Amino acid sequence: MDNTLNVLARKAGFNSALRHFKIVTQYVGLVGRGANLADLLNESLDADRIERHQIKPILSAVLEEKLGYAIRAWNLGSTIEDATSIAQVIDEWSALELVLVYHHPQTGIFVVNPKKLEHFEPIGTMVRDELAVLYVGAASGEDVKASTIEQAADDCVALLEGSKIKGKKAYVSERKARVAARPATTASEPQQAPATSGAETPQAPAAAPTGGGGRQRMTARIPVNVTNELFHNGNVESWKRIIESYKSKYPNFDVLIWYENERINDINALFKWGKVKHGTPIMISVVGEDPKDISKLRRYLFEGASPRFEAFLHGAVDRVLQLF
């Protein structure tokens, strides 16, 4: 029989396990005080505090073993391209905490707080037949029946599969609703100081430049399916103009292109190879500090990979499209 403790026999393995145990303990405490584990995991990944292979054991240890969340695992019955309405509905379930895990065929595991639309953006499209796992539990300080949690898990799955789900009173925190309903305390208005002659009016601080010089991060690879018969020269040129438009708005961001797990440095290669056919995904990722407009970029690139690519080829060749 294999000794599962062999990894602890060496200093490196012991220290690695100890760091993992410590951060799991921290997560248990933070979730118990009201944090969402998906938020914590994504923040830790961005800060390089954990590695992606730790996600599954952390989810299992914290949500399944320690907190006893209801779990649903299934293969998606339909493709999800826009999660706006999903996030809007679930955001109202203030008595519950939810964590959604999506297993992407190319880029691996994504952990999503389904109340936050921005968590869906790096995924792009959630593809039919791929694995999704949902965890549902009571929010901190809420006394929610187990049957209600199980029903919420079923409703969330149905919502993700395209069903219309009406909000239930049991999913909404009465405590938070009472706090929100309290009338605001009227405070006496402070007297304005008389203007000093010759004094300059204070100016608002200048907005930070887009895509500043902070820590760079790369988004997960986002699939863009080719819906044209072939990804031909017209599609290539439309992608060039879309990416040029994006980089003109965000000059400190970079758009990377991947095909069959290979980085594509020259987008013309996609046309020259003649391999990219209908239904084939081309992957993109964006590098920069807090990348923006990811969904819009993906949407334009999807159109550029379709028979409608000509919409991006109008106008002078040297004119940058104003898409963002």
Side-chain angles (χ1 to χ4, degrees):
M1 185 176 72
D2 291 337
N3 184 352
T4 56
L5 297 179
N6 279 341
V7 68
L8 303 179
R10 293 187 176 276
K11 183 178 179 180
F14 183 88
N15 288 339
S16 178
L18 184 60
R19 285 193 297 270
H20 181 82
F21 298 150
K22 284 183 176 180
I23 201 164
V24 168
T25 303
Q26 291 174 10
Y27 288 151
V28 170
L30 291 169
V31 172
R33 293 194 292 273
N36 182 283
L37 186 57
D39 294 336
L40 298 175
L41 289 172
N42 284 307
E43 289 169 4
S44 295
L45 285 169
D46 287 344
D48 295 326
R49 293 185 65 215
I50 63 171
E51 297 180 25
R52 198 162 289 275
H53 69 265
Q54 293 177 259
I55 291 176
K56 288 183 182 179
I58 290 172
L59 289 166
S60 179
V62 177
L63 299 185
E64 183 177 359
E65 298 293 336
K66 179 65 178 178
L67 300 177
Y69 274 35
I71 303 173
R72 299 290 185 273
W74 79 106
N75 294 96
L76 291 172
S78 58
T79 295
I80 303 171
E81 293 190 354
D82 186 355
T84 303
S85 60
I86 295 170
Q88 287 174 344
V89 171
I90 298 176
D91 188 42
E92 297 177 357
W93 299 1
S94 53
L96 302 166
E97 287 293 348
L98 300 93
V99 173
L100 176 65
V101 180
Y102 173 67
H103 294 259
H104 194 282
Q106 276 85 29
T107 54
I109 189 171
F110 288 88
V111 187
V112 173
N113 178 350
K115 295 182 180 181
K116 295 185 175 181
L117 181 60
E118 61 267 26
H119 276 210
F120 287 95
E121 287 188 348
I123 300 175
T125 299
M126 297 177 69
V127 182
R128 178 182 176 180
D129 293 330
E130 300 304 334
L131 176 63
V133 182
L134 176 70
Y135 299 84
V136 183
S140 177
E142 299 295 332
D143 184 15
V144 184
K145 294 180 180 179
S147 59
T148 300
I149 293 174
E150 295 291 340
Q151 182 61 56
D154 291 337
D155 283 349
C156 187
V157 171
L159 185 65
L160 288 161
E161 293 294 347
S163 298
K164 299 286 186 181
I165 300 297
K166 294 182 179 179
K168 293 182 173 62
K169 186 177 180 180
Y171 299 170
V172 180
S173 169
E174 293 183 5
R175 176 174 56 85
K176 293 177 182 177
R178 285 197 299 270
V179 171
R182 289 176 186 169
T185 303
T186 303
S188 58
E189 294 185 5
Q191 292 184 348
Q192 292 185 349
T196 304
S197 176
E200 294 184 1
T201 304
Q203 299 294 318
T210 303
R215 189 177 68 85
Q216 302 289 294
R217 76 177 185 90
M218 183 173 70
T219 66
R221 297 182 192 179
I222 303 166
V224 180
N225 286 333
V226 175
T227 57
N228 206 6
E229 186 176 353
L230 286 172
F231 193 78
H232 57 55
N233 189 53
N235 300 114
V236 169
E237 292 303 318
S238 69
W239 271 44
K240 286 181 180 178
R241 301 197 72 181
I242 293 166
I243 293 171
E244 179 186 39
S245 175
Y246 183 79
K247 294 181 71 172
S248 72
K249 176 68 180 292
Y250 302 112
N252 292 305
F253 295 166
D254 195 12
V255 179
L256 308 184
I257 301 173
W258 312 78
Y259 182 67
E260 293 185 340
N261 287 324
E262 181 181 347
R263 169 79 186 280
I264 305 301
N265 294 310
D266 180 7
I267 191 173
N268 290 299
L270 293 173
F271 163 62
K272 292 175 182 176
W273 291 347
K275 294 180 179 179
V276 187
K277 297 180 174 60
H278 179 90
T280 305
I282 301 172
M283 314 298 291
I284 65 162
S285 52
V286 179
V287 179
E289 182 191 0
D290 189 23
K292 295 177 173 59
D293 279 341
I294 304 298
S295 292
K296 186 182 288 187
L297 173 64
R298 181 192 167 275
R299 189 162 61 247
Y300 284 135
L301 291 175
F302 178 82
E303 290 296 308
S306 76
R308 301 176 293 278
F309 66 90
E310 291 182 353
F312 302 100
L313 302 182
H314 298 310
V317 176
D318 58 350
R319 183 176 68 87
V320 177
L321 300 177
Q322 301 299 312
L323 301 176
F324 299 92

